[in-house]
Amino acid sequence: MDFFKYIHAVGTGAKANRDLTFEESKDMMSQILNQSVYSEQIAAFLLGWRLKPETTQEFRGVVEACDMFIEKTPVANSIELGYPFDGKVNNPFMFPLIAKVLENSALNLVVVGDDLAPAKKGITLKEVATNIKLNKNIYYFDRADFFKEMHNLTDLRMRLGLRTGLNTIEKLTHVGESEYAITGVFHKPFVKKYVEIFAHKYKRLALIQGNEGTPELFSKGRLWIVNGSDVEEFIVDPQYYGINYSKSWEKITLQESLEQTNNPSDGLLKLARLNAAVFLFVAQKASSIDEAYEKLNG
């Protein structure tokens, strides 16, 4: 379809805008990924789509289109960790520490990195993963290698400088064909949205109120696990496990982030152990977070 019809659908105002069908969304995203239309048209659509706003049906069509471009590499016994591509600003990434805790747990971690995307100007997962020695149970995938079409949109997105619908759908790629996945959400309404978009792709999907939109819990928060058509909610409180870690509210540098990961405090190590327990529970390797935490504390 002529791409202008998609711009018209999202850019003519509240009275004339309309939602795209699944097939239209799939075609729209395919044209964007192929960059078979002008960059100005892509930017115009993404901005209008965000303001309309996007629907779950549209997101599902977009994800279906992305799947046609992603080169997958199966990783057995793995859980995919869905991180945002706009980075972390105030606290270090914990996944390298979590992996060390899980060394003997037969659970591999799949993580994806790329260059910085809007809108936070944070430290990216790619910067950490390429500047630190990763445990053998971490499978790091660079999006420039397995999904270059999305990677190639980075410059355009940075010039636009705003969050778009791509921020919502890009955290979970299923690149390792993992049976399990967990990603961070800021607000409860996004739980239903993520369930409707992604739950069918995984044996078990979990959402967590993680630090800075990541799947890493630094303070008391909610965990939602999808079981068939039901979504079960849990409260995870580090203080319940005797962990009194004070997360930072100040911006840190890449070097400070790497230093905290390479030489973690006792509190950060305990927090990593709790997050590891959450991952084991999500991946059905423990019947509860408490059981997993006790095992990891051996």
Side-chain angles (χ1 to χ4, degrees):
M1 185 181 289
D2 183 350
F3 195 83
F4 177 75
K5 293 183 179 180
Y6 300 140
I7 299 175
H8 188 270
V10 303
T12 52
K15 291 185 178 179
N17 283 350
R18 68 173 180 85
D19 298 332
L20 302 185
T21 66
F22 176 89
E23 289 300 330
E24 286 176 328
S25 302
K26 185 176 176 180
D27 178 60
M28 169 273 294
M29 193 63 203
S30 295
Q31 291 192 50
I32 287 178
L33 290 171
N34 282 319
Q35 295 195 47
S36 57
V37 294
Y38 293 114
S39 59
E40 293 89 347
Q41 291 178 298
I42 296 174
F45 176 83
L46 291 176
L47 183 57
W49 191 36
R50 183 69 171 175
L51 296 174
K52 180 178 68 73
E54 315 95 342
T55 67
T56 299
Q57 178 175 247
E58 290 169 341
F59 279 137
R60 291 195 67 166
V62 167
V63 170
E64 186 79 9
C66 290
D67 280 346
M68 297 189 299
F69 292 84
I70 294 172
E71 297 178 15
K72 299 186 178 182
T73 303
V75 178
N77 302 315
S78 65
I79 180 169
E80 181 179 358
L81 312 182
Y83 285 84
F85 289 85
D86 57 359
K88 294 189 74 172
V89 176
N90 302 323
N91 291 278
F93 282 88
M94 218 183 334
F95 72 90
L97 298 176
I98 296 171
K100 289 181 180 179
V101 173
L102 292 172
E103 277 181 327
N104 301 315
S105 300
L107 182 63
N108 296 310
L109 306 183
V110 170
V111 296
V112 172
D114 201 346
D115 298 335
L116 184 67
K120 293 201 313 285
K121 295 180 179 180
I123 299 162
T124 66
L125 186 146
K126 179 176 181 175
E127 288 178 301
V128 172
T130 55
N131 282 283
I132 197 171
K133 184 177 180 180
L134 299 177
N135 266 50
K136 62 181 181 180
N137 57 342
I138 294 180
Y139 286 77
Y140 168 71
F141 291 89
D142 193 310
R143 194 162 59 178
D145 298 326
F146 75 88
F147 192 11
K148 65 181 185 299
E149 293 81 6
M150 183 67 85
H151 166 79
N152 290 341
L153 292 171
T154 302
D155 287 345
L156 183 153
R157 294 173 65 187
M158 288 301 289
R159 289 195 294 272
L160 185 60
L162 300 171
R163 288 180 60 86
T164 67
L166 300 184
N167 291 71
T168 300
I169 61 91
E170 67 182 348
K171 293 195 292 182
L172 292 174
T173 63
H174 207 216
V175 62
E177 297 187 342
S178 306
E179 288 188 307
Y180 305 97
I182 181 169
T183 190
V185 292
F186 282 109
H187 310 294
K188 190 171 182 178
F190 274 86
V191 173
K192 183 175 184 294
K193 186 171 293 187
Y194 271 100
V195 169
E196 292 175 346
I197 298 168
F198 290 108
H200 68 287
K201 298 171 71 68
Y202 300 93
K203 181 178 179 180
R204 205 176 196 201
L205 172 68
L207 299 308
I208 195 167
Q209 286 180 320
N211 179 247
E212 300 187 55
T214 72
E216 299 176 352
L217 191 76
F218 274 65
S219 57
K220 183 178 179 179
R222 288 178 170 82
L223 169 71
W224 295 272
I225 295 184
V226 184
N227 292 301
S229 59
D230 298 323
V231 179
E232 192 171 2
E233 181 178 310
F234 304 84
I235 300 295
V236 186
D237 186 355
Q239 290 192 357
Y240 172 80
Y241 298 91
I243 303 170
N244 296 293
Y245 183 86
S246 296
K247 64 181 181 180
S248 171
W249 296 97
E250 301 294 329
K251 186 173 182 178
I252 61 174
T253 66
L254 173 60
Q255 290 306 315
E256 289 170 333
S257 177
L258 294 174
E259 174 62 23
Q260 290 185 57
T261 303
N262 284 321
N263 299 290
S265 65
D266 184 60
L268 189 59
L269 283 173
K270 290 179 178 177
L271 203 57
R273 195 170 291 116
L274 175 58
N275 278 269
V278 170
F279 293 174
L280 288 176
F281 175 51
V282 172
Q284 297 181 304
K285 294 187 179 296
S287 60
S288 68
I289 297 173
D290 288 357
E291 178 190 309
Y293 191 69
E294 288 178 10
K295 286 181 178 178
L296 292 173
N297 279 280

